[in-house]
Amino acid sequence: MAKKKRKAGEINSSSMADIAFLLLIFFLVTTTMDVDTGIKRVLPPWVNAEQQKQDAEVNERNVLKINVSRGGNIMVGTDEYKAHDLERHGDHSHLSREVLDFLVNVDRSSKEAKEINGGMYDISQGVVSLQADDETKYAIYLQVQDELVHAFNIYRDLIAQQVYQKSFSELSDNEHNIIADAVRYSISEAEPKESKK
Amino acid sequence: MAKKGKKEVPAMSTSSLPDIVFMLLFFFMAATTMREVDPEVSVALPEAHEVTQLDKKDLVNIWVGMPLNAKEGEDALKIQLNDKTGEVNMVQEFVKEAAATKQVDDLKTLTINLRVDKEATVGLLTDVKQELRKADALTISYAARTKDNQ
């Protein structure tokens, strides 16, 4: 009784598309597309209160104090800025221009000669100290941070022009690191007010 | 000379449909990442000009915002660590655990990504930052969306 050889029937693949659609929709729902972006910052290491006081006394002259009140008023040194001073007009906002002036101006922060790429360049030792009231709205706080970083970026740009005759964004990776190392984001924060409650 | 009968349009071949859909599928699988945790607090990120892209693999997220399932009259900000809300005093332990699961010895290679609601107040954030300093996790980032220049 020899069996008759039958040709195997083809698998119906019309539902393949449905299966693939199902998978596609599953992945569309469970995944996110956005990349994480943010303002990077390095916090100062934890020190005890006594040492803090000493540090603060040493370089009082090179510190620009910025205080953000709960109402959104910004005190820079003794000058008062309002929320609309954070808005950009062209390259600058009023606040970033003020901070940049603090960094560039020899009378306001002392300069230290640093060796960069074989030459000596004066780099500001200025530190911006940022303090905010507990009730300050985060949106304003971050906007202030943004303008501070902007001021430092423009200062880096100035130094990069002096050293390499190029703007900061045009530098190669190596040059980029050299400038970034020489001009740090000297923004001190996170020190809450002592007179709480 | 009248035409002989109407010719029927042949059915469109759908045999390449699975290929097309699979291609789309692979594109999305490659271009996206899995959503890791469900949010417990509502966070609308603020916008900023000077943002940088953050490397996802050494990022540890901490959320600060209003709880989603807040009861009537409750208006206290909460922080979320991983998938559940927590207290400020849990931050240190959380960071150390995160470092252990990511298998890094040095907390400096981790970036603590602070995702704070733009309507939130700074007070709680300041407390969190103090805890991070105590834990020696000093590299942080303020999550923000990119603001278009004008």
Side-chain angles (χ1 to χ4, degrees):
Chain A
M1 274 198 212
K3 266 187 198 164
K4 216 186 191 177
K5 257 194 188 167
R6 242 200 253 168
K7 235 189 180 178
E10 265 182 53
I11 297 175
N12 183 3
S13 63
S14 64
S15 54
M16 183 81 117
D18 301 340
I19 297 168
F21 261 122
L22 208 80
L23 279 171
L24 176 64
I25 290 164
F26 170 75
F27 272 97
L28 277 176
V29 170
T30 54
T31 58
T32 48
M33 194 85 150
D34 52 19
V35 267
D36 283 316
T37 52
I39 299 178
K40 264 202 168 186
R41 182 61 42 81
V42 179
L43 294 173
W46 182 255
V47 284
N48 56 38
E50 212 167 283
Q51 203 180 333
Q52 252 170 47
K53 225 173 241 170
Q54 279 179 1
D55 287 351
E57 277 165 18
V58 173
N59 38 31
E60 190 79 31
R61 188 179 113 76
N62 286 328
V63 175
L64 179 69
K65 281 194 178 140
I66 297 184
N67 203 320
V68 188
S69 78
R70 63 181 62 196
N73 291 334
I74 302 140
M75 292 297 293
V76 182
T78 51
D79 302 329
E80 193 174 332
Y81 284 72
K82 298 264 187 244
H84 62 77
D85 289 319
L86 297 174
E87 276 157 30
R88 296 269 173 93
H89 303 284
D91 274 353
H92 272 295
S93 64
H94 287 133
L95 181 66
S96 69
R97 180 166 288 139
E98 168 73 11
V99 175
L100 184 65
D101 184 61
F102 164 75
L103 292 172
V104 173
N105 201 328
V106 193
D107 296 332
R108 298 184 65 185
S109 62
S110 58
K111 307 286 179 285
E112 185 193 35
K114 275 192 192 173
E115 193 187 331
I116 308 169
N117 197 31
M120 299 299 277
Y121 298 91
D122 286 341
I123 306 295
S124 172
Q125 289 185 299
V127 174
V128 177
S129 159
L130 177 62
Q131 201 169 53
D133 190 278
D134 275 359
E135 300 296 317
T136 306
K137 241 172 73 176
Y138 180 66
I140 292 173
Y141 180 73
L142 195 85
Q143 223 181 339
V144 172
Q145 293 266 19
D146 196 21
E147 293 311 311
L148 295 183
V149 172
H150 182 58
F152 273 93
N153 280 345
I154 290 184
Y155 187 58
R156 280 181 171 181
D157 224 25
L158 290 175
I159 302 296
Q161 286 287 5
Q162 286 177 24
V163 181
Y164 297 108
Q165 288 80 47
K166 278 189 277 188
S167 73
F168 188 61
S169 54
E170 289 166 351
L171 298 178
S172 70
D173 279 358
N174 189 30
E175 294 167 341
H176 184 282
N177 289 342
I178 291 172
I179 296 291
D181 197 48
V183 188
R184 300 279 179 86
Y185 291 138
S186 310
I187 303 169
S188 118
E189 54 173 317
E191 223 54 76
K193 276 182 195 161
E194 274 158 37
S195 56
K196 259 215 269 191
K197 277 148 208 172
Chain B
M1 269 189 227
K3 272 184 190 163
K4 266 190 236 161
K6 270 188 191 163
K7 254 191 202 164
E8 284 223 356
V9 183
M12 209 208 284
S13 163
T14 55
S15 59
S16 54
L17 191 59
D19 301 339
I20 297 168
V21 177
F22 266 118
M23 210 166 70
L24 277 173
L25 175 65
F26 289 137
F27 169 75
F28 276 101
M29 281 175 70
T32 59
T33 49
M34 276 281 183
R35 192 175 293 160
E36 277 147 30
V37 284
D38 290 326
E40 294 277 328
V41 295
S42 82
V43 169
L45 292 179
E47 291 181 335
H49 295 275
E50 312 290 332
V51 296
T52 48
Q53 273 200 17
L54 306 166
D55 198 357
K56 208 150 208 156
K57 68 175 190 291
D58 44 39
L59 223 53
V60 177
N61 285 306
I62 294 180
W63 288 260
V64 179
M66 288 293 173
L68 282 177
N69 50 1
K71 292 175 196 89
E72 195 74 26
E74 197 180 22
D75 61 345
L77 287 167
K78 278 266 183 244
I79 58 176
Q80 181 186 348
L81 312 161
N82 256 344
D83 49 359
K84 47 184 176 290
T85 54
E87 300 299 323
V88 172
N89 56 22
M90 291 156 68
V91 168
Q92 284 192 50
E93 204 176 317
F94 167 72
V95 172
K96 277 175 191 136
E97 264 173 37
T101 49
K102 290 200 184 248
Q103 298 183 328
V104 288
D105 308 322
D106 195 358
L107 281 169
K108 285 188 183 72
T109 57
L110 280 185
T111 304
I112 313 295
N113 192 25
L114 299 166
R115 308 178 77 95
V116 185
D117 189 74
K118 58 182 171 191
E119 297 298 319
T121 51
V122 178
L124 184 56
L125 174 69
T126 311
D127 296 340
V128 171
K129 283 195 289 193
Q130 290 296 81
E131 291 298 312
L132 288 176
R133 289 176 68 194
K134 283 183 207 166
D136 210 28
L138 301 178
T139 319
I140 61 162
S141 75
Y142 299 106
R145 288 184 291 126
T146 318
K147 194 189 251 177
D148 301 321
N149 285 316
Q150 266 87 51

